[in-house]
Amino acid sequence: MPEQPRTAAVTAVVAGVPVDTRHWIGGRRVASAGTFTDRSPIDGRALAEVSRGGAAEAGAAVAAAAAAFPGWAATPRAERARLLHAVADGVQQRLEELAQVETADNGALLRSHRRGVMPRVAHNFRFFADRLLTLDHEDFETRGHSNHVSWDPAGPCVLITPWNAPLMLASWKVAPALAAGNTVVLKPAEWSPLTASLLADIAAEAGLPDGVLNVVQGLGDEAGAALVSHPDVRRISFTGSVPTARRIAGAAAANLTPVSLELGGKSPLLVFADADLDLAVDLAVEQYDNAGQVCLAGTRLLVESSIAEEFLRRFAVRAAALTPGDPRDEATDLGPTVHRRQLDRIDGFVRRALDAGARAVVGGGPDEDLGGLHYRPTLLTDVAQDSEIVQEEVFGPVLTLQTFDTEDEAVELANGTRFGLAAVLATGDPERADRVTARLVAGTVWVNCFFVRDLRAPFGGSRHSGIGREGGSWSFDFYCDLKNTVTAPKGGPGHG
Ligand code: NAD
């Protein structure tokens, strides 16, 4: 593995922004013999050749993280917090560049990256920096003995992220892991690797010591697999699909490495006859955001029979008013899907559903006018609860609609998949909202709203949507080794 000098050589210019696409290990840019090609979903253009790491780079990065760990763990909390705020400052200063590069890389809307996502990245760093300073060390007494509970850093953490919200999800893991006093090896998804590389630059400029944050680029089966099976890793946090989670959990089991898994969903959006129908339709159309490539999306519309026809009529009007197009245009509501393989996968689900008797009342195939990786916002009716289209995560702009007659039936349909990430509920009756939410299996339930997220809240999924919760102090629960120290009273008997 040839080492390069520390000065960052520019290996790609994306949306006018220089991006070094080598790994970032121990405070140095490191290349691999091989590369992989990163393409833009906007026009299929090759954006960059990115270093393709494997076992050697994974080993070097974990070693760098392990070497940096004692120093970072011993760094006073206030200093760690200061450095994380400096990273947030760097994100804010480079917000426009990050937004442009992310849009070029994964095709999500530039206006969302500018106004929502990148400010949120900075906020993630600030939130966990501040939270670190308020973590309590619980103290209590047992028969004269003092108990002192402390949050000890755990060691090197491997963080593996998907392509649908690359820097947002990376920062959601990197910030608490670093705040807790751990060191990090981040492996971004191979379909959107670029902003992780910019984060390494920002962290270095902010003054983060060498080896505290490392970035290994590469494919899941190579770099990813080598990282999650490394015996010196103390935590693995993964966001991605269920099949990959199984492989990661298997690799982690061999070393008994604790794993946090944030996985897919097939979340229900329940609309009761007493709901504000325009609000319910707005909420339903919102599920097409990011071309439906959102883990939390409420893709199963469950609508009370008595209002289903009117709901559908209004939904079709609203969906038709969406503007598909180039994600860099302010006016665009719906950009391309991320990759040809993803587009084919989405279309495969829709074709099979149509073959099985579903009806496309909205959309139903690729957008032939725009071409490229654009898929038409789609709504399928006449779908059976046990059908593939209702049970499996599509991860594209594809919704299904089923009807129900009673609250019991609504809850049964809502809970009737192997997932449990989120649920959205539209009702004008607060008592119904309480009754129904109490029975829903979901990590997050939104009542008459969607995607309102506070970092103080726990986030995660039940069943196959994940294991564990992050957010607030739950992130510190995961990233820390909690220790209880019991001290005998001065001059006391020595045991209690
Ligand atoms: P994926 O599982 O294919 O890949 C995710 C990451 O895992 C990538 O970085 C990939 O390189 C890596 N990887 C693949 N194989 C690996 C292996 N054997 N060992 C280690 N790492 C490996 O998922 P994706 O297609 O990138 O993302 C889409 C999925 O992510 C969807 O299921 C979506 O619901 C889920 N997701 C969940 C959340 C959440 O918070 N619950 C958020 C966003 C996305």
Side-chain angles (χ1 to χ4, degrees):
M1 191 175 53
E3 276 213 348
Q4 313 293 315
R6 190 177 174 138
T7 46
V10 172
T11 54
V13 176
V14 177
V17 180
V19 186
D20 193 319
T21 54
R22 295 172 295 176
H23 317 289
W24 176 250
I25 298 175
R28 291 178 188 283
R29 288 289 173 186
V30 175
S32 296
T35 60
F36 65 94
T37 305
D38 177 37
R39 293 185 181 280
S40 176
I42 299 174
D43 51 14
R45 205 163 44 87
L47 292 174
E49 287 299 313
V50 181
S51 284
R52 181 170 167 173
E57 293 82 352
V62 173
F69 174 65
W72 182 245
T75 301
R77 284 179 175 204
E79 175 61 4
R80 292 207 300 263
R82 187 191 67 76
L83 284 165
L84 292 181
H85 275 290
V87 173
D89 292 341
V91 169
Q92 276 173 319
Q93 277 153 20
R94 299 188 67 180
L95 197 138
E96 179 61 19
E97 292 182 10
L98 292 166
Q100 293 275 356
V101 170
E102 198 86 294
T103 290
D105 208 9
N106 83 341
L109 298 186
L110 181 57
R111 68 165 197 242
S112 313
H113 283 151
R114 276 182 180 145
R115 287 181 215 142
V117 177
M118 295 308 165
R120 181 70 176 215
V121 169
H123 181 57
N124 283 343
F125 282 99
R126 296 200 192 288
F127 173 84
F128 287 108
D130 293 344
R131 189 80 189 196
L132 166 70
L133 300 179
T134 63
L135 269 187
D136 21 80
H137 288 231
E138 228 178 304
D139 288 300
F140 48 91
E141 227 183 74
T142 313
R143 295 192 294 277
H145 294 63
S146 70
N147 287 252
H148 173 73
V149 179
S150 53
W151 305 72
D152 291 359
C157 300
V158 162
L159 311 178
I160 308 239
T161 48
W163 45 262
N164 65 317
L167 195 59
M168 218 297 286
L169 291 169
S171 60
W172 158 255
K173 296 178 188 302
V174 169
L178 294 183
N182 301 313
T183 51
V184 160
V185 182
L186 169 66
K187 207 236 33 99
E190 49 270 49
W191 286 353
S192 58
L194 300 181
T195 47
S197 205
L198 295 178
L199 180 65
D201 292 340
I202 290 169
E205 284 156 19
L208 217 63
D210 291 350
V212 169
L213 171 68
N214 305 275
V215 177
V216 171
Q217 299 284 6
L219 311 186
D221 289 343
E222 299 174 359
L227 285 168
V228 297
S229 53
H230 198 294
D232 295 341
V233 170
R234 297 287 168 252
R235 293 287 187 278
I236 298 168
S237 177
F238 169 72
T239 298
S241 65
V242 171
T244 306
R246 286 207 174 91
R247 289 201 288 278
I248 290 178
N255 298 316
L256 292 180
T257 312
V259 191
S260 167
L261 301 174
E262 298 187 343
L263 311 179
K266 192 73 186 176
S267 301
L269 190 162
L270 300 99
V271 183
F272 287 91
D274 56 26
D276 172 337
L277 204 52
D278 285 327
L279 170 71
V281 168
D282 282 348
L283 292 173
V285 172
E286 247 188 90
Q287 310 308 315
Y288 290 133
D289 277 3
N290 206 9
Q293 302 167 132
V294 175
C295 58
L296 293 162
T299 50
R300 290 186 296 132
L301 310 184
L302 307 177
V303 183
E304 193 159 346
S305 302
S306 59
I307 54 157
E309 204 175 308
E310 179 59 15
F311 176 89
L312 254 179
R313 195 187 61 74
R314 295 194 204 181
F315 180 90
V317 173
R318 286 280 285 102
L322 291 173
T323 306
D326 189 317
R328 294 165 295 193
D329 291 347
E330 272 289 309
T332 298
D333 297 313
L334 207 79
T337 59
V338 71
H339 196 277
R340 172 64 53 188
R341 286 220 306 271
Q342 186 66 9
L343 183 87
D344 291 345
R345 187 170 181 274
I346 294 166
D347 200 40
F349 276 116
V350 172
R351 296 290 116 218
R352 290 190 295 278
L354 294 173
D355 287 347
R359 209 157 53 89
V361 292
V362 175
D367 188 327
E368 272 134 22
D369 298 334
L370 285 172
L373 301 182
H374 291 270
Y375 204 86
R376 282 150 65 207
T378 294
L379 178 67
L380 302 174
T381 60
D382 302 331
V383 292
Q385 177 68 9
D386 62 357
S387 63
E388 180 193 57
I389 196 71
V390 169
Q391 293 294 324
E392 297 298 325
E393 183 185 47
V394 175
F395 222 53
V398 178
L399 311 181
T400 57
L401 186 143
Q402 297 166 273
T403 57
F404 63 84
D405 290 312
T406 65
E407 211 172 277
D408 282 347
E409 200 189 340
V411 170
E412 196 180 326
L413 290 173
N415 287 340
T417 74
R418 68 193 162 112
F419 295 104
L421 189 56
V424 188
L425 190 55
T427 175
D429 178 351
E431 284 175 19
R432 187 201 294 281
D434 287 348
R435 275 196 312 273
V436 172
T437 53
R439 295 172 67 191
L440 290 174
V441 180
T444 303
V445 180
W446 282 289
V447 180
N448 295 324
C449 61
F450 179 60
F451 225 87
V452 179
R453 282 194 56 200
D454 190 312
L455 287 174
R456 290 170 294 186
F459 178 80
S462 304
R463 298 180 178 165
H464 283 200
S465 290
I467 297 180
R469 296 290 183 271
E470 294 187 38
S473 52
W474 290 272
S475 291
F476 289 97
D477 281 351
F478 174 69
Y479 287 112
C480 290
D481 281 333
L482 282 160
K483 181 194 286 164
N484 187 34
T485 304
V486 184
T487 306
K490 244 191 190 151
H495 57 273

